[in-house]
């Protein structure tokens, strides 16, 4: 028997705000989270890209000193978002053995790893901290959340580049369906605003070069788009069965219909320009839940603002919806947040959940001249969604050819 699975809690710390609600309100207001990086290493290492989507609220403002010392920034974002989502869900009483964690990251404890290497090189092995390995592990965020909440059903980590946290949400759906837990905290985080990944992404020509105008750098679908803006942060959702949520009187934001994962098997960084595997992921996420592609009323697109990526996703959308895609409201929220890599799917899932619960599609900022090859109905001002049951999908695609799609509906 298929279970109905619903969202009862959301949390986020992002370039737009320190909470899910602050991030949502800033998104609706057309705020850009991209800012110049005020760090000495930008000049020291002559980093070619000098801006990013930095988290608004430092982890030190919300976590204890011991937590910030013992957790990599990636895990700090994870714990911050998960705690907010858990409190938002009403801190439900649940047996530890029936509570699970499905978390995600694209890279993991990068700051810890590279700082430790600097310490080893400059000061020798005796000065390397004993907590280095636990802090740099990609599963550090999942472990921190599970220990904080006492989740003993399972604690799992997805690492699928920029598709990671959408995959974690899809997996959480499957894990509850399989009876492995009554409640799952799912989501993802990333903390990579560091000279090495910025230099590497810049060398790949993947980042926007608008150092003199960070706020307008991320411009999905615009003819002048020139790359993505690196972002950081984390987001979480609390998922449980509809019956479990109703029995405890929980507020329900939306229903998670499931998710789907496919692989391009095409190129390590470039998406398949035809978008065939991405299209299969969208179709499966919709039809496996018993719906038709004609039922989709809103899309939160992956839309990173790269010349190649935006076209590839459009081709995938066209495969799925045909000409009807031109009438579906599409939001590209990375224009505001930047690209949170492994945390992108989670923050965008929160935005889809809020869009459904408030019947309001968020805007895509910085779109001044839409690429004529991308014939989409891009939402550029907050737009009211229609009454009745609404179905929305959230797309995430990552290096390695990973495609993940999650489908949500109103309750």
């Amino acid at each position: 028997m298929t279970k109905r699975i619903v969202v009862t809690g959301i949390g986020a710390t992002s370039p737009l705000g320190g909470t899910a609600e602050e991030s949502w309100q800033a998104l609706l207001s057309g705020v850009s989270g991209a800012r110049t990086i005020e760090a000495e290493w930008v000049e020291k290492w002559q980093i070619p890209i000098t801006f990013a989507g930095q988290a608004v609220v430092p982890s030190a403002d919300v976590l204890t000193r011991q937590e910030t010392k013992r957790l990599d920034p990636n895990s700090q974002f994870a714990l911050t978002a998960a705690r907010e989502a858990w409190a938002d869900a009403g801190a439900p009483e649940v047996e530890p053995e029936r509570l699970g964690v499905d978390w995600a990251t694209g890279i993991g404890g990068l700051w810890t790893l590279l700082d430790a290497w600097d310490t080893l090189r400059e000061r020798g092995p005796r000065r390397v901290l004993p907590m280095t390995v636990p802090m740099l592990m990609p599963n550090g965020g999942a472990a921190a959340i599970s220990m904080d909440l006492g989740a003993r059903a399972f604690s799992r980590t997805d690492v699928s580049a920029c598709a990671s946290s959408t995959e974690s949400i899809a997996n959480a759906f499957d894990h509850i369906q399989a009876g492995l837990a009554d409640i799952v905290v799912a989501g993802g985080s990333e903390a990579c605003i560091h000279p090495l990944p910025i230099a590497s992404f810049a060398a790949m020509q993947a980042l926007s070069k608008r150092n003199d105008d960070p706020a307008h750098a991320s411009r999905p679908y615009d003819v002048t788009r020139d790359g993505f803006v690196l972002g950081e942060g984390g987001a979480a959702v609390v998922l449980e069965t509809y019956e479990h949520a109703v029995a405890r009187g929980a507020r329900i934001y939306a229903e998670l219909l499931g998710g789907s994962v496919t692989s391009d098997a095409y190129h390590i960084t470039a998406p398949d320009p035809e978008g065939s595997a991405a299209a299969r992921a969208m179709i499966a996420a919709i039809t496996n839940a018993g719906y038709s592609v004609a039922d989709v009323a809103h899309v939160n697109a992956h839309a990173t603002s790269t010349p190649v990526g935006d076209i590839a996703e459009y081709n995938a959308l066209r495969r799925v919806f045909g000409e009807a895609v031109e009438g579906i409201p599409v939001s590209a929220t990375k224009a505001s947040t930047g690209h949170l890599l492994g945390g992108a799917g989670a923050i965008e899932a929160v935005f889809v959940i809020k869009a459904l619960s408030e019947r309001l599609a968020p805007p895509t900022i910085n779109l001044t001249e839409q690429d004529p090859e991308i014939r989409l109905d891009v939402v550029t001002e907050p737009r009211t969604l229609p009454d009745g049951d609404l179905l929305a999908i959230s797309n995430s695609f990552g290096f390695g050819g990973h495609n993940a799609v999650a489908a949500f509906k109103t309750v």
Side-chain angles (χ1 to χ4, degrees):
M1 179 180 176
T2 302
K3 303 168 185 174
R4 293 182 65 191
I5 296 172
V6 296
V7 181
T8 56
I10 56 175
T13 179
S14 79
L16 296 179
T19 66
E21 185 61 26
E22 288 173 1
S23 299
W24 173 248
Q25 291 301 327
L27 178 68
L28 292 180
S29 299
V31 172
S32 170
R35 293 174 290 279
T36 298
I37 302 169
E38 302 292 343
E40 58 86 22
W41 49 258
V42 174
E43 183 175 353
K44 176 181 179 181
W45 298 111
Q46 297 183 332
I47 302 301
I49 307 302
T50 61
F51 65 96
Q54 301 160 86
V56 172
V57 177
S59 296
D61 289 358
V62 292
L63 300 179
T64 68
R65 185 170 180 271
Q66 184 178 39
E67 287 167 341
T68 57
K69 286 185 65 176
R70 289 180 170 267
L71 295 173
D72 181 85
N74 180 42
S75 297
Q76 294 172 24
F77 290 144
L79 186 58
T80 298
R83 279 179 174 169
E84 182 196 352
W86 189 250
D88 188 48
E93 293 185 8
V94 59
E95 291 295 323
E97 291 75 16
R98 302 299 301 166
L99 174 61
V101 176
D102 272 302
W103 203 252
T105 185
I107 296 177
L110 180 106
W111 273 95
T112 296
L113 174 62
L114 296 178
D115 282 355
W117 171 243
D118 288 342
T119 298
L120 174 63
R121 240 180 0 160
E122 297 166 9
R123 305 173 68 187
R126 293 181 179 275
R127 303 307 295 267
V128 174
L129 297 175
M131 285 293 290
T132 297
V133 170
M135 289 172 66
L136 67 81
M137 298 186 305
N139 64 307
I145 295 166
S146 66
M147 288 186 284
D148 191 61
L149 300 181
R152 295 178 183 169
F154 52 81
S155 174
R156 308 185 188 213
T157 302
D158 288 289
V159 181
S160 299
C162 307
S164 299
S165 51
T166 298
E167 187 171 331
S168 77
I169 291 169
N171 285 343
F173 178 89
D174 290 340
H175 292 150
I176 297 176
Q177 289 289 355
L180 301 181
D182 294 325
I183 302 180
V184 174
V185 178
S189 54
E190 204 75 87
C192 286
I193 299 177
H194 179 285
L196 182 60
I198 293 177
S200 178
F201 280 129
M204 295 172 65
Q205 303 296 309
L207 296 178
S208 172
K209 302 177 180 65
R210 296 173 184 266
N211 288 332
D212 58 342
D213 189 16
H216 297 95
S218 185
R219 351 181 21 91
Y221 306 133
D222 197 89
V223 292
T224 63
R225 66 190 186 278
D226 68 333
F228 73 85
V229 173
L230 184 60
E232 66 179 3
V237 296
V238 174
L239 303 169
E240 56 189 296
T241 64
Y242 177 78
E243 292 77 13
H244 191 276
V246 170
R248 68 180 188 87
R251 174 193 50 203
I252 297 174
Y253 283 101
E255 181 175 350
L256 172 62
L257 298 176
S260 179
V261 175
T262 63
S263 173
D264 285 351
Y266 174 78
H267 190 275
I268 192 62
T269 57
D272 178 356
E274 300 299 319
S276 58
R280 284 194 296 111
M282 286 184 253
I283 292 170
I286 297 162
T287 59
N288 288 350
Y291 289 83
S292 161
V293 296
D295 296 318
V296 174
H298 176 52
V299 174
N300 190 300
H302 184 61
T304 59
S305 185
T306 62
V308 173
D310 287 6
I311 285 283
E313 184 176 13
Y314 169 69
N315 290 337
L317 288 164
R318 197 86 188 183
R319 278 177 174 265
V320 174
F321 300 103
E323 291 184 2
V325 76
E326 297 178 30
I328 300 173
V330 174
S331 296
T333 53
K334 288 184 181 71
S336 294
T337 64
H339 191 356
L340 273 63
L341 306 183
I347 187 69
E348 288 158 26
V350 167
F351 292 154
V352 168
I353 291 161
K354 290 291 286 183
L356 290 174
S357 65
E358 298 188 10
R359 296 183 180 271
L360 193 63
T364 302
I365 64 172
N366 299 335
L367 181 57
T368 55
E369 184 180 353
Q370 189 165 331
D371 188 333
E373 294 186 30
I374 300 177
R375 298 186 299 278
L376 295 174
D377 178 14
V378 182
V379 178
T380 56
E381 297 288 340
R383 185 186 303 178
T384 301
L385 294 171
D387 294 332
D389 281 347
L390 295 179
L391 172 64
I393 61 171
S394 183
N395 291 341
S396 295
F397 311 125
F399 283 0
H402 302 290
N403 307 302
V405 179
F408 299 86
K409 69 177 287 291
T410 50
V411 178

